[in-house]
């Protein structure tokens, strides 16, 4: 029996916005502060509804939470050496890098779900990925990347550039 199983044999039922149910170990579910507080407040006797998260996104979020819960369990296991902890850190960094290699729509849905479920590490990871997509790009390149229509007139855009000249240096 793995450390995560020993820590939590209790299963938590989660229901996505499209009605699909997921049974997950409590140790995985409590990666979400929202769900953790619901459990602490005894609101988890039946299935916890998550009206802002679709089944597709919830399954990705739960995959992330499971991997991170397992990584924490490995790092905190008795007898885990510094080398083991470093290896676990490298493994999770590699996993995270691969995890955010998704299309933009999925990435933005993951950001919304991480925010709603209050999973700070996932929110930080996904927002950092968006920040990296923006870094070093001109406003025009950013608009193209995120399919944003320029709603400034030429005069308005020139005024903004003049007022914020420091940002365009």
């Amino acid at each position: 029996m793995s450390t995560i199983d020993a820590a939590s044999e209790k299963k938590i039922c989660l229901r996505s916005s499209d009605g699909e149910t997921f049974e997950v170990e409590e140790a995985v579910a409590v990666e979400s502060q929202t769900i953790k507080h619901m459990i602490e407040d005894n609101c988890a006797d039946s299935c916890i509804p998550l009206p802002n998260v679709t089944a597709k996104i919830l399954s990705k979020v739960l995959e992330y939470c499971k991997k991170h819960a397992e990584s924490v369990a490995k790092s905190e296991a008795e007898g885990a050496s510094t080398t083991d902890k470093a290896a676990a850190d490298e493994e999770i960094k590699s996993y995270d890098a691969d995890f955010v290699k998704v299309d933009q729509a999925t990435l933005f849905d993951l950001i919304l779900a991480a925010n709603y479920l209050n999973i700070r590490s996932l929110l930080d990871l996904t927002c950092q990925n968006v920040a990296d997509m923006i870094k070093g790009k001109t406003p025009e390149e950013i608009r193209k990347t995120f399919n944003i229509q320029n709603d400034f007139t030429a005069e308005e855009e020139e005024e903004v550039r003049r007022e914020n000249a420091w940002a365009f240096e």
Side-chain angles (χ1 to χ4, degrees):
M1 186 188 289
S2 74
T3 312
I4 196 167
D5 292 335
S8 171
E9 292 179 12
K10 184 178 178 187
K11 297 281 187 178
I12 303 295
C13 177
L14 306 172
R15 183 177 300 111
S16 66
S17 62
D18 40 359
E20 197 169 322
T21 58
F22 296 81
E23 283 235 340
V24 295
E25 294 167 348
E26 185 174 359
V28 172
V30 298
E31 288 285 309
S32 161
Q33 291 300 302
T34 302
I35 294 170
K36 180 180 178 183
H37 294 308
M38 291 179 88
I39 293 168
E40 288 170 352
D41 295 341
N42 293 320
C43 298
D45 296 335
S46 61
C47 215
I48 297 174
L50 302 172
N52 295 358
V53 187
T54 63
K56 174 189 169 202
I57 297 302
L58 184 56
S59 66
K60 291 244 352 133
V61 169
L62 293 174
E63 171 192 324
Y64 173 90
C65 290
K66 185 174 197 284
K67 186 70 173 178
H68 277 253
E70 287 171 350
S71 179
V72 168
K74 276 185 200 174
S75 293
E76 293 177 353
E78 272 189 58
S81 69
T82 308
T83 309
D84 293 339
K85 291 177 183 180
D89 284 348
E90 278 306 309
E91 181 184 330
I92 207 72
K93 283 180 185 170
S94 173
Y95 172 82
D96 286 353
D98 288 339
F99 184 81
V100 292
K101 290 179 183 172
V102 293
D103 60 271
Q104 274 187 23
T106 301
L107 182 62
F108 294 138
D109 285 343
L110 285 169
I111 289 171
L112 293 172
N115 186 49
Y116 173 69
L117 295 170
N118 196 1
I119 306 171
R120 181 63 188 244
S121 61
L122 180 56
L123 184 60
D124 289 348
L125 174 68
T126 51
C127 287
Q128 183 61 56
N129 189 264
V130 172
D132 292 343
M133 293 166 79
I134 292 171
K135 190 186 297 178
K137 291 189 176 176
T138 65
E140 292 76 24
E141 291 170 327
I142 293 168
R143 284 189 197 105
K144 186 175 180 189
T145 299
F146 297 108
N147 198 20
I148 301 169
Q149 188 162 351
N150 184 1
D151 55 355
F152 285 119
T153 64
E155 296 80 29
E156 289 172 329
E157 191 165 346
E158 186 53 43
E159 183 182 339
V160 168
R161 285 182 183 274
R162 239 187 356 267
E163 290 173 356
N164 302 289
W166 59 269
F168 297 97
E169 294 171 351

